[in-house]
Amino acid sequence: MTSQLIPVEPFDFIIFGGTGDLSQRKLLPALYYRQCQFSEPTRIIGASRSRLSDDEFRDVARQAIAEHVNGADVDQSEVERFVARLAYVPVDAKSGEGFDRLRELLGDSRSIRAFYLAVAPSLFDEISARLSHHGLITPNSRIVVEKPIGRSLASAHELNDRIGQVFGEHQIFRIDHYLGKETVQNLMALRFANALYEPLWNSAHVDHVQITVAETVGLEDRITYYDTAGALRDMVQNHLLQLLCLVAMEPPSSTEANAVRDEKLKVLRSLKRINGQDAARATVRGQYRAGASAGGPVRSYLEELGSKASSTETFVSLKAEIENWRWAGVPFYLRTGKRLAARVSEIVIEFKPIPHSIFDEAAGSISANQLVIRLQPDEGVKQYLMIKDPGPGGMRLRQIPLDMSFAQSFHGRAPDAYERLVMDVIRGSQTLFMRRDEVEAAWNWIDPILDAWSEGRQETQLYTAGTWGPSASVALIERDGRTWHESN
Ligand code: BG6
């Protein structure tokens, strides 16, 4: 079966931060790729503080496409058709300058309006208030905000309140780009379009779950943001907890947005709180020192930061527990970090060992079955099974993976998460976006860990860049008689 591209209604897509990094690396390329789904008239309007003309913004877009779209997918006539739909308005969210011009440009169009805030979160409430004040919000409007939504439960609550004063919840699209990744959506297909796994998907059969999101990059150019956030806020509060929810949730009654989000919310609310003393045993925080990563020597986090003192964590691993019938007693080990040994994101479901072996010692040891869902790179699913080693020599057992690599099975390009997500915004489909109560429930679980850390319950431990994090992370899982899946 080939993929189908379903046209969307005409829309105006307004990118605040239109000349910024996210817009250039992700949004403009994603919109270019999906141009074949647009109906006319569709416009894309950049809005930023820089004083650019429409033509200068078109040049920014041409450059973004040249740099961030696969060469084979760049068709010059398509690029020109794309840039012809672009316009640019200089705006200043602080002073309000430029919002009247934006109003004029949008006119009385009844097209769908998507305001995408690719700007610092500190501007979210100011921009939404100005959109309302200048009469730009129509019933057909949506607002898209990127994480982080706040930096604690209280600040997330306040921000959600402010945006909620001018947009209804059905108009607010909170992006967690992990939900747009093909393999993450595949997790839903794997669980709910196959009869095989669901009967085993519980504490009677699953020993534990591991979720790893490992990166080889360091701070990149996000020093100010990252040093005030750290890996717990930047990755665990959103991406890793969303993955945990998709693994652990009950089957929703449909893929309708609230049906799915209700189930994810129940998981978040069932997470056992990690308070004070527990944080020392159940969490590990690390920071990289100089080492080697991605083929070359790299500086320490503090050197990248400019040799300031900082205890911000670039690595977290932790043991989460879900207090409900399905998962009681099944630990979920989560780990994420920068400057690790490899770039890999995967979910490992390890099943319980067999109850009794009929084989003698010469057969070798029997490993527990594992289901490994690889999100990136080399997207695919592997089911590890024991088999008999073929040929003579008696009964010798060996573990092999039944390998379903998506690249081999489905030829063609894996679309970037943003392509799917921006089209879902236009369609008004919120299934892959976070609802307010989900974001707040996630903070409600993260806050006590942050509090325990700030009370000094868990020191930041150094790890050498290019390794799998501090040794305490290995100890965290080995204390329970388990080991991290080898992710190379
Ligand atoms: C972002 C984080 O949300 O996700 C970054 O802020 C991180 O720190 C990035 O590098 C990872 O995304 P991906 O899609 O490259 O795994």
Side-chain angles (χ1 to χ4, degrees):
M1 206 170 22
T2 52
S3 57
Q4 282 187 327
L5 290 170
I6 303 164
V8 293
E9 286 177 41
F11 62 91
D12 288 323
F13 198 89
I14 303 99
I15 311 175
F16 286 91
T19 54
D21 187 58
L22 180 69
S23 172
Q24 294 195 43
R25 272 192 314 116
K26 296 290 184 184
L27 303 179
L28 292 168
L31 288 161
Y32 167 76
Y33 266 119
R34 292 307 176 101
Q35 179 164 235
C36 49
Q37 284 175 270
F38 296 180
S39 306
E40 302 307 340
T42 279
R43 296 184 290 179
I44 296 162
I45 301 168
S48 297
R49 272 193 311 184
S50 334
R51 307 214 150 262
L52 300 187
S53 64
D54 289 346
D55 278 341
E56 284 167 326
F57 183 54
R58 291 185 181 123
D59 283 341
V60 169
R62 283 192 189 92
Q63 185 70 23
I65 293 168
E67 279 176 24
H68 302 291
V69 170
N70 285 341
D73 299 324
V74 180
D75 170 333
Q76 278 317 322
S77 62
E78 276 299 293
V79 174
E80 290 313 305
R81 196 161 78 83
F82 181 74
V83 298
R85 58 175 87 253
L86 302 188
Y88 185 80
V89 184
V91 294
D92 185 339
K94 298 257 179 228
S95 67
E97 195 192 330
F99 279 81
D100 282 333
R101 168 80 193 101
L102 189 57
R103 166 103 190 77
E104 236 171 73
L105 187 65
L106 290 170
D108 294 326
S109 151
R110 294 195 172 179
S111 292
I112 292 163
R113 246 174 227 186
F115 298 103
Y116 199 115
L117 307 199
V119 293
S122 55
L123 295 174
F124 288 176
D125 59 345
E126 253 160 330
I127 294 180
S128 25
R130 297 229 178 260
L131 290 174
S132 163
H133 179 75
H134 290 264
L136 286 157
I137 307 174
T138 58
N140 228 353
S141 293
R142 305 118 170 59
I143 188 167
V144 190
V145 286
E146 282 277 337
K147 60 152 267 270
I149 312 283
R151 42 181 291 106
S152 62
L153 176 58
S155 54
H157 193 79
E158 198 182 319
L159 186 57
N160 280 327
D161 268 355
R162 299 245 173 110
I163 301 176
Q165 275 163 13
V166 294
F167 286 96
E169 182 63 30
H170 66 287
Q171 296 175 297
I172 305 174
F173 288 71
R174 298 180 190 83
I175 284 217
D176 182 315
H177 77 279
Y178 266 58
L179 294 180
K181 289 186 190 273
E182 281 286 312
T183 334
V184 176
Q185 293 169 60
N186 232 316
L187 192 54
M188 297 262 278
L190 191 74
R191 284 194 61 192
F192 305 125
N194 294 291
L196 205 59
Y197 289 111
E198 207 45 33
L200 305 178
W201 213 259
N202 55 50
S203 62
H205 301 284
V206 174
D207 178 77
H208 73 280
V209 176
Q210 299 181 17
I211 302 178
T212 295
V213 177
E215 300 185 272
T216 51
V217 293
L219 256 186
E220 300 179 286
D221 50 3
R222 303 157 77 219
I223 295 182
T224 322
Y225 156 71
Y226 196 86
D227 197 50
T228 54
L232 190 66
R233 289 189 178 95
D234 183 48
M235 298 294 286
V236 180
Q237 189 272 343
N238 36 80
H239 305 326
L240 277 89
L241 284 185
Q242 286 292 321
L243 295 178
L244 177 143
C245 285
L246 292 178
V247 172
M249 71 182 181
E250 294 300 315
S253 55
S254 71
T255 57
E256 189 273 323
N258 283 332
V260 174
R261 301 190 301 179
D262 285 348
E263 295 309 333
K264 288 197 291 167
L265 181 64
K266 285 184 208 159
V267 174
L268 291 166
R269 289 189 173 158
S270 308
L271 283 168
K272 182 178 172 191
R273 281 169 81 88
I274 300 177
N275 292 317
Q277 245 348 84
D278 305 336
R281 276 185 75 77
T283 70
V284 172
R285 54 196 300 224
Q287 187 190 80
Y288 57 86
R289 59 161 91 89
S293 180
V298 293
R299 295 183 299 163
S300 69
Y301 177 77
L302 293 183
E303 282 163 341
E304 283 188 40
L305 208 57
S307 297
K308 280 199 313 198
S310 168
S311 60
T312 298
E313 78 286 354
T314 59
F315 176 95
V316 180
S317 62
L318 55 84
K319 175 178 169 180
E321 291 171 86
I322 302 173
E323 297 185 305
N324 66 16
W325 273 50
R326 189 188 278 261
W327 296 115
V330 180
F332 282 64
Y333 300 99
L334 273 44
R335 68 175 165 167
T336 183
K338 301 225 178 257
R339 291 282 189 233
L340 296 186
R343 174 175 182 258
V344 52
S345 300
E346 67 184 15
I347 299 169
V348 179
I349 316 288
E350 182 161 319
F351 293 93
K352 295 220 153 134
I354 53 164
H356 164 73
S357 173
I358 62 168
F359 303 101
D360 57 29
E361 270 182 25
S365 60
I366 300 181
S367 310
N369 297 137
Q370 285 183 333
L371 177 69
V372 179
I373 302 154
R374 176 66 81 101
L375 310 183
Q376 60 192 26
D378 313 324
E379 292 89 341
V381 177
K382 284 185 185 167
Q383 173 67 69
Y384 286 86
L385 298 170
M386 296 303 298
I387 58 144
K388 176 190 171 298
D389 222 352
M395 177 63 85
R396 282 172 292 107
L397 300 170
R398 180 149 68 104
Q399 190 186 43
I400 53 136
L402 277 182
D403 186 353
M404 193 171 82
S405 154
F406 296 153
Q408 277 164 22
S409 311
F410 308 102
H411 301 287
R413 188 183 64 90
D416 186 77
Y418 279 89
E419 292 174 41
R420 166 70 190 257
L421 295 174
V422 293
M423 286 295 102
D424 278 359
V425 170
I426 305 306
R427 285 190 202 98
S429 163
Q430 291 186 307
T431 305
L432 300 179
F433 296 82
M434 295 180 293
R435 202 170 57 192
R436 172 179 185 156
D437 46 11
E438 276 183 86
V439 174
E440 293 181 4
W443 279 120
N444 195 34
W445 186 71
I446 292 288
D447 270 3
I449 303 177
L450 287 167
D451 290 344
W453 287 0
S454 66
E455 287 158 13
R457 307 275 189 162
Q458 183 58 290
E459 296 302 320
T460 306
Q461 310 190 25
L462 294 178
Y463 61 97
T464 304
T467 64
W468 284 104
S471 52
S473 169
V474 176
L476 172 94
I477 191 165
E478 292 198 342
R479 255 199 314 268
D480 294 345
R482 302 178 173 112
T483 50
W484 289 110
H485 178 75
E486 289 214 8
S487 299
N488 283 322

